Amino acid sequence: MVEHRGIINLRQFFQEQWDVDGSDRMLQFASSSFDASVWEMFTILLGGGTLYLVSRDIINNLNEFARFMSENQITIALLPPTYLAGIEPDRLPTLKKLVTGGSAITKELVTRWKDRVEYMNAYGPSESSVIATTWTYREEDMGYPSVPIGKPIANTRIYIMDTHQKLLPLGAAGEMCIAGDGLAKGVSASAGAHGGEVCGEPLRSWREAVPDR
């Protein structure tokens, strides 16, 4: 069960990062059955802004989509990289803040948009209240082989563990485990259906006994 505090924490993080207010207009690109729609709805409505619903027919036509964005002066959007790849920045002149998520984004696509918007790459499983980590564009990070997913948002902790749930050293490859206010209640620390991606209460108990490094 995803608790309400995860959504409040997510909204507060973006309020502090982007100063979302009554002048902002958010696109609801995601279907209401997809967790990204929760971020879209609550980030803007709790911030006092306006949420704009768009039909699938418009989304499926890039020309109509660009017209919809401009006519409604949309300022914030979360778009999947595969969709964003078909749009040139000058077609969305009112867009100020852009989040990508759902799949990996290429460095070429980031470069295309970085000077036109405040750009953020986000990652998070549904079990962690939509978004667990974010990366805001920094030129010095573009030397990495892939676009980073960034650091945990407020009140969230990320650990890289081995298959025995032992903490790995900096730079080692392993399983990402998430803890914090956004994590769904009752998520198991065992691999199970989640492939070891999300760790719940056992990790929280372990973390209390191990100081931050």
Side-chain angles (χ1 to χ4, degrees):
M1 179 182 71
V2 179
E3 298 179 293
H4 291 167
R5 67 177 182 175
I7 303 305
I8 297 301
N9 184 63
L10 190 63
R11 179 263 169 184
Q12 186 62 30
F13 172 77
F14 278 91
Q15 178 70 31
E16 294 175 357
Q17 291 291 307
W18 277 355
D19 296 322
V20 177
D21 60 25
S23 66
D24 280 308
R25 299 180 176 201
M26 171 84 79
L27 176 74
Q28 186 176 335
F29 181 93
S31 165
S32 59
S33 62
F34 184 45
D35 66 343
S37 69
V38 174
W39 176 83
E40 293 167 332
M41 289 185 282
F42 288 101
T43 296
I44 195 66
L45 295 179
L46 293 178
T50 306
L51 181 69
Y52 283 78
L53 309 184
V54 60
S55 71
R56 291 296 108 181
D57 287 340
I58 291 177
I59 287 176
N60 291 335
N61 185 314
L62 290 178
N63 290 328
E64 290 299 319
F65 179 78
R67 182 179 297 112
F68 179 93
M69 294 283 283
S70 296
E71 289 180 351
N72 292 288
Q73 299 182 6
I74 303 300
T75 61
I76 306 176
L78 190 162
L79 299 174
T82 51
Y83 188 86
L84 187 67
I87 305 173
E88 291 298 326
D90 58 5
R91 302 201 67 188
L92 305 183
T94 66
L95 190 64
K96 297 178 180 178
K97 299 158 186 172
L98 172 64
V99 183
T100 58
S103 63
I105 188 170
T106 65
K107 290 195 285 186
E108 291 75 16
L109 194 51
V110 171
T111 300
R112 185 194 304 178
W113 285 89
K114 68 181 179 65
D115 295 325
R116 302 298 295 269
V117 295
E118 292 183 59
Y119 173 74
M120 181 181 289
N121 191 35
Y123 166 81
S126 299
E127 297 89 341
S128 186
S129 299
V130 189
I131 293 174
T133 71
T134 61
W135 174 76
T136 299
Y137 175 82
R138 298 195 316 165
E139 180 65 33
E140 54 265 39
D141 293 338
M142 293 299 281
Y144 291 119
S146 58
V147 177
I149 61 172
K151 298 179 180 180
I153 67 170
N155 302 308
T156 301
R157 299 179 297 281
I158 300 293
Y159 300 95
I160 306 302
M161 317 286 282
D162 64 15
T163 55
H164 303 290
Q165 296 213 354
K166 300 296 184 182
L167 191 64
L168 289 170
L170 187 66
E175 297 176 334
M176 176 186 291
C177 292
I178 303 170
D181 287 350
L183 194 63
K185 188 175 182 180
V187 173
S188 174
S190 62
H194 303 295
E197 181 182 42
V198 183
C199 298
E201 291 298 332
L203 178 58
R204 287 201 186 101
S205 300
W206 169 84
R207 192 263 179 188
E208 291 173 359
V210 179
D212 289 337
R213 298 185 179 184

